[in-house]
Amino acid sequence: MQGYPTRSILLLAIAAVLIVPVVAGEPTAKEPERNWGALTVSFEHRTDDSVIRQYELPALAQLSYLVGAEGACVVVDPQRDVDTYVRDAEALGLEITAVILTHAHTDCVAGHAELAMRTGARVVRSADLELGWQPLAHGPPGVEVRPLEGGARDGLLARLRRGGDGRTSVFTGDTLLVGTVQSPEDIELDSDVMSRAEQTLDAVQAVSLLGDETRILPGHGAGRFGGRVLEPD
């Protein structure tokens, strides 16, 4: 009987993907003029009792998120200039009570320290958590976090288990992107590729258990070298 690939084979396959060099393709169309240094809202999903707002920093194709419900919100992977999150949370009638770091930010300066200082929010990292999904302490209702298993223990997933459309939204940081996996600059700074492969496999397995309707919200978007097959739409 033909079985599924063993864990070792899967880990080796993921490790191979992680170290494959990135080859830039030909541009498919001329992009419109953009302010590459300005944080802009690139996606928003609202229900009667929750909101997910995605922000993009075009210069790095970095994505961050504001997730709110019942008067409280969490900011996921904030970039350095935190004024936008503070202003938008106030306009939405939400208090920023927690800040989530899904991974170590090696390609940009993260804004978690400043945002925590300005709002009194708690910073949540993988090393602070027990294994498995767990409610986010001090966060809005329905938000859960899960550390990724592996030697590095510096990655986590977050999810919002609510919404009028019945879909779970998962924030994967740089572990799972669109059409590819972990970002190359993380691998260059970490010689333990197999440890990163373990984290990626753990993320794939955790997300696959959530169902086909799960909304994947990564840490980087179109145009970033880490997302080799990303398109602007």
Side-chain angles (χ1 to χ4, degrees):
M1 179 184 296
Q2 183 177 1
Y4 291 102
T6 65
R7 179 179 178 86
S8 297
I9 294 175
L10 288 171
L11 286 173
L12 288 171
I14 293 173
V17 173
L18 294 178
I19 61 177
V20 168
V22 177
V23 179
E26 292 295 327
T28 57
K30 183 178 180 180
E31 291 191 4
E33 292 295 327
R34 308 176 71 182
N35 184 346
W36 294 96
L39 194 65
T40 59
V41 176
S42 49
F43 167 80
E44 183 170 301
H45 175 70
R46 292 198 188 204
T47 68
D48 291 340
D49 57 1
S50 67
V51 59
I52 299 174
R53 182 171 290 182
Q54 179 190 77
Y55 301 89
E56 180 185 12
L57 185 63
L60 297 173
Q62 181 203 6
L63 301 176
S64 55
Y65 301 88
L66 185 151
V67 185
E70 298 186 15
C73 69
V74 58
V75 178
V76 181
D77 293 328
Q79 61 96 35
R80 183 178 182 180
D81 183 4
V82 302
D83 289 342
T84 300
Y85 310 116
V86 174
R87 181 184 67 246
D88 285 7
E90 182 178 354
L92 292 167
L94 301 171
E95 177 186 0
I96 300 175
T97 56
V99 181
I100 293 176
L101 287 184
T102 62
H103 62 290
H105 292 257
T106 58
D107 60 342
C108 62
V109 178
H112 60 287
E114 181 179 352
L115 191 56
M117 181 178 65
R118 288 181 56 175
T119 65
R122 176 192 176 192
V123 178
V124 180
R125 300 178 178 86
S126 176
D128 303 327
L129 305 173
E130 301 294 332
L131 294 180
W133 287 109
Q134 55 214 268
L136 176 63
H138 311 294
V143 175
E144 298 179 344
V145 288
R146 178 191 187 280
L148 293 174
E149 299 184 31
R153 268 307 295 272
D154 63 353
L156 65 82
L157 301 175
R159 69 181 178 185
L160 176 64
R161 299 189 65 184
R162 60 190 301 147
D165 59 0
R167 297 175 64 182
T168 294
S169 298
V170 179
F171 306 89
T172 59
D174 279 7
T175 305
L176 297 181
L177 302 172
V178 179
T180 187
V181 291
Q182 186 137 4
S183 56
E185 81 278 359
D186 292 338
I187 305 306
E188 292 171 2
L189 296 178
D190 188 341
S191 60
D192 189 358
V193 177
M194 291 304 293
S195 174
R196 294 295 183 180
E198 280 188 333
Q199 282 198 344
T200 302
L201 178 57
D202 186 39
V204 170
Q205 292 175 331
V207 172
S208 67
L209 294 175
L210 300 180
D212 294 339
E213 296 302 313
T214 301
R215 180 184 291 111
I216 306 296
L217 298 171
H220 282 89
R224 183 176 187 273
F225 59 86
R228 292 192 291 272
V229 297
L230 291 179
E231 296 294 341
D233 57 355

